Amino acid sequence: MTVMAIASPLGKVLEATGYLEQGRPAPGVRIADENRFERRSGQFAPDALWRGPSSLTVYFKYLTSPPGDDELSSWRREIWNEGFAPLLWIISPTTIELYNGFGRPLAQGDAEANRLHTFKIIDSELAALDELAGRLAMESGQFWLRNDSINRKNTVDQRLLSELSALERDLVADDLERGIAQGLIGRAIFTQYLVDRGIVDKRKLKRHCGEDTLPDALRNTASSRALFAWLRATFNGDMFPASMPMSRLRHKHFVRVADFLEAIDPGTGQHSLFPYRFDIIPVELISSIYEQFAHSHNAAHAAPDTSARKLGVHYTRLPVASLVLDEVMNGATGNETVVDLTCGSGVFLVEAFRRLVAIRSKGKPDRRLIRSVLYDQVFGVDISEAAIRVATFSLYLAALELDPDPHPAEALKFRPLIGSTLFIGNARDIETTPEGAALLLNGERRRFDLVVGNPPWTFKGKRGTAQRAKVAGAKSGQPRGEGFDFVLRALDFAHDTTRFGIILSAMPFFAASKTGAAAALDIVRRLSPATIVNLAPLIRWLFPTAKMPAVALLARCRKQPSDQLTVVNIPWSPSGEKSQTFEISPSDISTLSLAEWEKRPRRLKAAAFGCFRDIALLSSLQSDCTTLGAWLESIGSSWRDGLILGTPSNRTRSASAMRGLPFLENYEMENFKIPDSLSAFREPKAQWPRDKATFSGPLLIVKEFLNQSPRPITAVSDKDVVFTDAYFGAPVARKYEEAARVLSVILSSSFAAWFFLMTASEFGVWKRRLLTRDVGLLPIPALSTLLASKTGSKILSVEKRLRASTISDADWSELDALVADAYHLDAADRTVVQDGLLRAEWQWDEGRQFASASATTKADLAPYAESFLEVINSWLGVSGKRSMKAEIYDLPALSPLRVVRFVLQEPAQNPTISMIQPHGRLSDVLKSIGSRMDVPIASSLIGQRELRVHSKQEVVIIKPAARRYWMKISALEDADAVVVESFKGAAA
């Protein structure tokens, strides 16, 4: 790559902040004319831009003197409308000013309100700028942790969706049917796009409706009708169908839409700045109005059985569409056909359309090629007519946006898509209906190259399964949802090399249900080779309306063994949630053989949430130990759910046998403690009273839901006690009471928290909950042997003490150590378990924040280095000739990365851990390491996020600053990898 000619101040700033590397653009950076094709339209012309993997963009503009406020506000308005640029840098010969690209445009004082920081072009302030918003800060996500004022609450998509929702709500309140209201809004946006793009100018408006602007035309009913009639005749297609019941539209409806376009508050009549530029807003964002329409709370106007909530539809956010299409379209030629059998508003289809055009045209599209892709390569089905009309609208807009010269308007006539490539109907039998006849070619189903989608996640249980089985052609395998039905149905439209990218419920993949796990395995085998991307940790912002977690199933996209599943776990991070991006590192990716998954269905969860050391320990324990459930069975007991009292009207079964017994209700039990002063059970009847034997003491009782800790809450009652269904319990004979107390300690330990994180059906995936079958699978030591040992005596002593006292951190540490002794865990396995407790704590906000905070030298990096050295030096110690020492770079607390170096020592010496004061800034450290080891460090970090760099004498570990990357179990894994890589290097 050649060195770019860049204005001196701009080049100096970009070099100092990592966007240039020795005069060359860093990965993701575009300079001068290179960036022109990166922007949709508008007057703003940046001198450089950086675009991250998730389309987040930073713009750089150089001027010899600062711009005026009006010009700057105009630029910011364009950037805001793009929706992906959190930052605008304005660079002059002496200063750099940073502006918020996500702040809603203001009519007055916009520049001042959105100015974030000002820096002078001097070394000290450039260093501060680099720490705040340099390329490494952006790549690592550190930027988002230091800028609370920049968030997505005011981005164009959030504001537009909110205001369109209010507009729709007002129209419906004014006696307009929801479908007609949506049609009117869609027409208005499409027309305003034509105006903003200059396709329909004032002259054309005046000629065809007698008014100069769209709002003026809307305020005149006759003008509105004339304008829409001309647009229907001109553009044809499905955007302005003749069937639209114009007679149902009243003057007040047109006026309300006009008020929206002129930013007039319908309540006060006050004007404000209309911030939207529909020629700039990405079409994929506009299409997302379907979320507001589909998830409207006014269900009274929704068509029977087609409302999105009832169907289990969940809006597809753009990051998800990008994640799926990045894989499915990797290496595409541009000639592929794509289908989405549950296309909704067309988010997948619009983005696939854009990509197909870009690939096929090699960046130089013309109208003929664009229309060819639109009419011949992009197909969708949805049961909702409203959704299909939004998809049509979105695809038409995308076609116009991609058109390099959309003039004259009369030459832009569209063919109808509905009935040709977009179909209204049930995907289960769409091609057998008149509406879906175009899905047949010569009497056979069309076969597509790419299948994408986000089918309904509806939870319908056994009744739903039976109903689905009655549908012609249904292949019900998933017991509590219908997502797999759509995957199997999609196979009818696929060929042997069709690629799949589909969002599904995570529950069948991770749940303990035999039928669900078998159905998931069957789907993966049919589509192999496959990758599962676990999205469950992100559900709060990714699918906020969902009632269960999600995965992305990507199949036939990459070369890998067909009998092997790749598992990707995307962790939650504060920066990811704020920026709505995914942060994936190599350590988040693992593999699992399908044979192992079939043999041990819960192993998939361990592959997603754990690492090699976790799986190795699980395998050892499951091989060497019996299970808690098997032990209970051997003594004639089992787990039993507690009583369900129910509402008064449902209390129809006699509960008299339990009257007078102590009654344990929710929140009354703590670890090892059941209050002596429980009230007596007085109810004569209950909904599900259970058998009295369920409540016969001694009882080992476990609370179903976890509170603010991943440690299960357990206790032993030495007498009869009635408990609610907030608990489950196992009655044991008096001679097994001590064994039950030992089990209570084991169940409360870090060992149990780790085990349930790796294997439990719901904990870690969705709810903080334990099921009886989860607890029944817990490996336990031989209890009779343990009780006869000193360790067993100590466990009983601790349990007795903790029954009568408040439990301290020291008590928990003692308890955990005793449980580890009971399982004969070595030092490395104790690290796995103890860090498993920390990882389990990520299910709560406090734990997630702790894991995402920056690692410190003393508390995190030094223990990491110590654990790494223990593994490496035990391997090197076999020969006794060499050892390693550690050097921790003492970087600033706000640095986005942490660096630890391990240096070979000959002859072997005692390992040491020392702190190294770096020379210069982080960028200087990385350059120095890269120069010494002949590796382009900064470039290699892009996309990888973690690096292990080897030479004959040293290993350097470079990772993001977040604490989760520097846990002791990470050190074990990194050291294992270094050993393996060393063997491979020696073999080579």
Side-chain angles (χ1 to χ4, degrees):
M1 184 185 296
T2 58
V3 177
M4 308 295 293
I6 303 171
S8 178
L10 174 61
K12 180 177 181 179
V13 170
L14 295 181
E15 192 79 41
T17 51
Y19 294 99
L20 286 183
E21 296 177 345
Q22 297 180 340
R24 295 179 173 86
V29 176
R30 302 287 183 271
I31 301 294
D33 290 340
E34 281 189 330
N35 66 57
R36 298 293 188 255
F37 189 69
E38 299 283 337
R39 302 195 67 248
R40 286 172 161 80
S41 58
Q43 299 302 309
F44 175 59
D47 294 293
L49 66 82
W50 167 84
R51 182 157 291 159
S54 299
S55 295
L56 282 179
T57 305
V58 175
Y59 285 120
F60 306 91
K61 181 67 177 176
Y62 174 73
L63 302 110
T64 55
S65 59
D69 285 353
D70 290 344
E71 184 177 29
L72 181 55
S73 297
S74 175
W75 293 346
R76 240 196 34 80
R77 185 185 177 198
E78 286 187 23
I79 291 169
W80 181 78
N81 273 277
E82 289 182 3
F84 294 110
L87 278 181
L88 167 63
W89 295 32
I90 300 296
I91 303 164
S92 67
T94 59
T95 61
I96 308 110
E97 292 187 329
L98 268 56
Y99 290 88
N100 181 2
F102 284 172
R104 181 187 173 110
L106 303 173
Q108 302 291 331
D110 178 79
E112 182 63 30
N114 287 285
R115 185 183 295 114
L116 300 170
H117 300 279
T118 300
F119 297 90
K120 294 179 181 179
I121 302 183
I122 59 176
D123 289 347
S124 61
E125 297 208 12
L126 286 174
L129 173 60
D130 185 32
E131 282 192 357
L132 175 71
R135 186 172 62 89
L136 287 176
M138 299 301 297
E139 291 279 358
S140 66
Q142 192 79 0
F143 165 80
W144 297 94
L145 305 182
R146 301 179 57 193
N147 291 276
D148 291 336
S149 58
I150 299 181
N151 60 67
R152 287 191 172 270
K153 292 180 180 179
N154 289 310
T155 53
V156 63
D157 54 323
Q158 296 297 316
R159 300 313 310 158
L160 179 60
L161 292 176
S162 175
E163 292 184 21
L164 289 178
S165 178
L167 172 59
E168 183 208 37
R169 189 168 56 247
D170 289 349
L171 291 171
V172 171
D174 269 340
D175 302 320
L176 194 63
E177 291 180 14
R178 177 159 272 98
I180 301 174
Q182 293 171 9
L184 176 59
I185 293 170
R187 289 182 177 203
I189 292 175
F190 187 88
T191 307
Q192 189 61 53
Y193 170 85
L194 299 175
V195 172
D196 287 349
R197 188 80 189 271
I199 299 171
V200 174
D201 55 20
K202 287 185 178 181
R203 183 175 54 82
K204 282 189 171 67
L205 283 172
K206 191 74 172 179
R207 181 194 308 165
H208 295 289
C209 69
E211 303 290 349
D212 291 332
T213 68
L214 177 57
D216 287 344
L218 290 170
R219 294 184 191 283
N220 183 319
T221 304
S223 296
S224 301
R225 297 180 189 279
L227 175 61
F228 289 149
W230 173 72
L231 290 169
R232 181 173 65 246
T234 301
F235 290 94
N236 198 3
D238 303 299
M239 193 63 248
F240 299 92
S243 60
M244 176 77 171
M246 296 292 290
S247 61
R248 306 286 288 276
L249 296 170
R250 300 287 181 261
H251 180 256
K252 61 183 179 179
H253 302 139
F254 290 115
V255 169
R256 178 64 184 89
V257 177
D259 285 347
F260 162 72
L261 293 173
E262 291 189 319
I264 297 175
D265 188 302
T268 65
Q270 291 185 335
H271 284 256
S272 59
L273 174 70
F274 184 70
Y276 304 109
R277 288 274 305 274
F278 289 106
D279 58 325
I280 294 178
I281 299 175
V283 172
E284 56 268 31
L285 290 184
I286 296 177
S287 71
S288 65
I289 60 175
Y290 175 53
E291 178 185 31
Q292 296 296 319
F293 292 161
H295 296 281
S296 173
H297 292 287
N298 192 345
H301 295 272
D305 298 322
T306 61
S307 65
R309 286 189 183 276
K310 187 167 185 176
L311 292 173
V313 174
H314 301 291
Y315 160 63
T316 307
R317 289 191 179 273
L318 294 178
V320 176
S322 294
L323 173 75
V324 168
L325 291 172
D326 284 348
E327 286 295 302
V328 171
M329 299 187 72
N330 181 38
T333 65
N335 295 310
E336 290 81 5
T337 55
V338 58
V339 68
D340 183 345
L341 293 180
T342 53
C343 69
S345 65
V347 173
F348 278 114
L349 297 183
V350 168
E351 183 60 20
F353 172 47
R354 292 176 61 88
R355 295 184 185 210
L356 287 170
V357 169
I359 296 168
R360 188 170 153 187
S361 69
K362 296 180 173 59
K364 297 180 179 180
D366 58 41
R367 187 176 305 155
R368 180 194 59 79
L369 184 146
I370 293 167
R371 297 300 175 95
S372 172
V373 175
L374 177 64
Y375 299 144
D376 301 326
Q377 294 179 237
V378 181
F379 293 75
V381 180
D382 203 277
I383 199 169
S384 165
E385 179 178 351
I388 286 291
R389 293 210 173 274
V390 176
T392 305
F393 156 74
S394 302
L395 287 167
Y396 284 157
L397 277 186
L400 290 175
E401 179 185 298
L402 292 168
D403 196 321
D405 183 25
H407 298 90
E410 290 74 14
L412 300 177
K413 185 169 291 189
F414 285 106
R415 297 182 200 169
L417 300 182
I418 298 177
S420 176
T421 56
L422 297 179
F423 308 96
I424 303 168
N426 194 323
R428 298 180 191 279
D429 60 359
I430 184 65
E431 78 277 19
T432 68
T433 67
E435 292 80 7
L439 282 168
L440 298 175
L441 282 176
N442 300 320
E444 299 290 330
R445 297 188 191 96
R446 286 180 181 264
R447 304 288 173 168
F448 295 92
D449 303 308
L450 311 174
V451 173
V452 295
N454 181 8
W457 303 356
T458 315
F459 180 92
K460 293 187 175 180
K462 293 181 179 179
R463 180 179 298 178
T465 301
Q467 291 173 346
R468 282 154 39 218
K470 294 177 183 178
V471 178
K475 305 167 184 175
S476 298
Q478 183 181 350
R480 296 193 166 200
E482 55 185 341
F484 288 175
D485 294 355
F486 286 95
V487 180
L488 293 171
R489 179 62 173 137
L491 281 167
D492 293 337
F493 294 93
H495 50 70
D496 290 343
T497 59
T498 296
R499 296 181 176 190
F500 289 77
I502 300 180
I503 307 301
L504 296 165
S505 166
M507 296 311 294
F509 293 92
F510 296 125
S513 161
K514 290 183 179 179
T515 52
L521 179 61
D522 176 61
I523 287 289
V524 169
R525 279 200 163 123
R526 287 172 185 257
L527 300 182
S528 65
T531 296
I532 294 291
V533 182
N534 180 29
L535 303 172
L538 315 179
I539 201 75
R540 185 169 64 181
W541 67 265
L542 200 56
F543 296 107
T545 63
K547 300 300 182 185
M548 58 182 70
V551 298
L553 173 61
L554 309 170
R556 304 174 184 169
C557 302
R558 291 178 179 265
K559 290 184 177 180
Q560 65 185 63
S562 60
D563 61 350
Q564 177 178 289
L565 177 68
T566 297
V567 184
V568 181
N569 185 55
I570 305 182
W572 178 91
S573 72
S575 57
E577 181 162 316
K578 286 183 178 180
S579 62
Q580 297 191 356
T581 59
F582 303 128
E583 298 180 0
I584 305 174
S585 302
S587 57
D588 300 319
I589 304 172
S590 60
T591 58
L592 177 68
S593 75
L594 298 186
E596 177 68 10
W597 183 17
E598 182 174 28
K599 181 180 178 182
R600 299 183 186 276
R602 293 171 186 258
R603 191 54 51 85
L604 176 61
K605 189 187 178 201
F609 287 83
C611 54
F612 176 80
R613 290 269 184 165
D614 292 301
I615 293 174
L617 179 55
L618 280 174
S619 297
S620 174
L621 290 165
Q622 290 169 336
S623 173
D624 297 342
C625 299
T626 188
T627 65
L628 177 48
W631 180 80
L632 288 174
E633 185 178 359
S634 73
I635 65 168
S637 184
S638 63
W639 291 115
R640 304 180 187 184
D641 292 323
L643 167 148
I644 300 176
L645 196 57
T647 60
S649 62
N650 287 329
R651 298 174 190 173
T652 58
R653 297 171 180 83
S654 175
S656 59
M658 276 72 74
R659 296 188 73 180
L661 292 178
F663 186 32
L664 178 65
E665 298 186 75
N666 201 3
Y667 303 115
E668 290 188 309
M669 188 176 86
E670 300 176 27
N671 281 99
F672 315 119
K673 302 180 184 73
I674 297 175
D676 292 328
S677 57
L678 292 176
S679 59
F681 183 75
R682 300 294 185 189
E683 299 295 333
K685 294 184 177 183
Q687 182 176 356
W688 296 106
R690 314 301 181 196
D691 186 270
K692 186 178 181 181
T694 296
F695 309 114
S696 297
L699 280 162
L700 173 60
I701 302 176
V702 179
K703 197 170 191 303
E704 180 182 26
F705 283 90
L706 303 167
N707 289 337
Q708 292 303 309
S709 166
R711 294 180 185 271
I713 297 176
T714 70
V716 174
S717 174
D718 59 359
K719 57 188 176 183
D720 296 356
V721 60
V722 178
F723 51 89
T724 70
D725 63 330
Y727 308 90
F728 50 88
V732 300
R734 186 67 58 183
K735 63 180 178 179
Y736 296 117
E737 182 177 344
E738 284 192 339
R741 294 192 181 279
V742 167
L743 289 171
S744 178
V745 170
I746 291 174
L747 283 166
S748 301
S749 69
S750 59
F751 175 86
W754 162 79
F755 179 80
F756 295 136
L757 176 67
M758 294 297 128
T759 65
S761 306
E762 296 186 5
F763 178 61
V765 179
W766 185 230
K767 297 178 181 178
R768 301 167 189 148
R769 176 188 184 194
L770 296 176
L771 305 181
T772 54
R773 56 178 176 261
D774 298 330
V775 179
L777 289 174
L778 180 73
I780 60 171
L783 292 178
S784 57
T785 302
L786 178 59
L787 285 168
S789 69
K790 291 183 178 179
T791 299
S793 298
K794 290 179 180 178
I795 288 175
L796 290 172
S797 176
V798 166
E799 191 270 346
K800 182 177 181 180
R801 187 180 80 240
L802 297 183
R803 270 186 268 158
S805 64
T806 301
I807 305 176
S808 66
D809 289 343
D811 291 327
W812 284 124
S813 295
E814 180 186 8
L815 181 151
D816 289 341
L818 286 170
V819 171
D821 290 342
Y823 285 91
H824 305 291
L825 301 183
D826 62 20
D829 286 340
R830 289 171 192 248
T831 293
V832 171
V833 166
Q834 204 59 39
D835 275 9
L837 175 66
L838 295 175
R839 288 175 284 163
E841 288 174 349
W842 298 352
Q843 303 309 309
W844 287 267
D845 281 339
E846 184 177 354
R848 284 194 291 265
Q849 295 294 342
F850 179 81
S852 301
S854 294
T856 63
T857 299
K858 184 176 180 179
D860 304 295
L861 300 186
Y864 168 93
E866 183 178 355
S867 295
F868 185 99
L869 289 173
E870 286 175 359
V871 175
I872 289 291
N873 286 332
S874 65
W875 173 60
L876 292 173
V878 174
S879 67
K881 295 179 180 180
R882 298 179 297 171
S883 64
M884 272 191 153
K885 66 176 182 178
E887 296 176 349
I888 300 172
Y889 285 78
D890 193 15
L891 295 165
L894 297 177
S895 174
L897 301 175
R898 296 291 183 266
V899 180
V900 181
R901 179 180 181 229
F902 297 94
V903 184
L904 202 62
Q905 303 177 110
E906 293 188 79
Q909 304 172 40
N910 289 331
T912 60
I913 301 173
S914 57
M915 308 302 157
I916 302 297
Q917 292 300 320
H919 298 290
R921 296 185 289 121
L922 174 61
S923 57
D924 299 318
V925 171
L926 297 182
K927 287 177 184 177
S928 174
I929 295 171
S931 176
R932 187 174 67 247
M933 305 183 76
D934 196 25
V935 175
I937 299 293
S939 298
S940 299
L941 279 168
I942 304 302
Q944 291 291 314
R945 300 180 62 79
E946 302 174 73
L947 280 183
R948 287 188 305 272
V949 188
H950 299 248
S951 73
K952 291 183 178 180
Q953 298 299 316
E954 63 181 299
V955 177
V956 179
I957 309 290
I958 305 170
K959 302 186 191 183
R963 185 177 278 119
R964 77 176 187 89
Y965 293 100
W966 299 101
M967 301 174 69
K968 290 193 285 186
I969 190 171
S970 301
L972 301 182
E973 291 286 318
D974 289 340
D976 290 344
V978 168
V979 172
V980 170
E981 290 161 3
S982 298
F983 274 117
K984 287 181 179 178

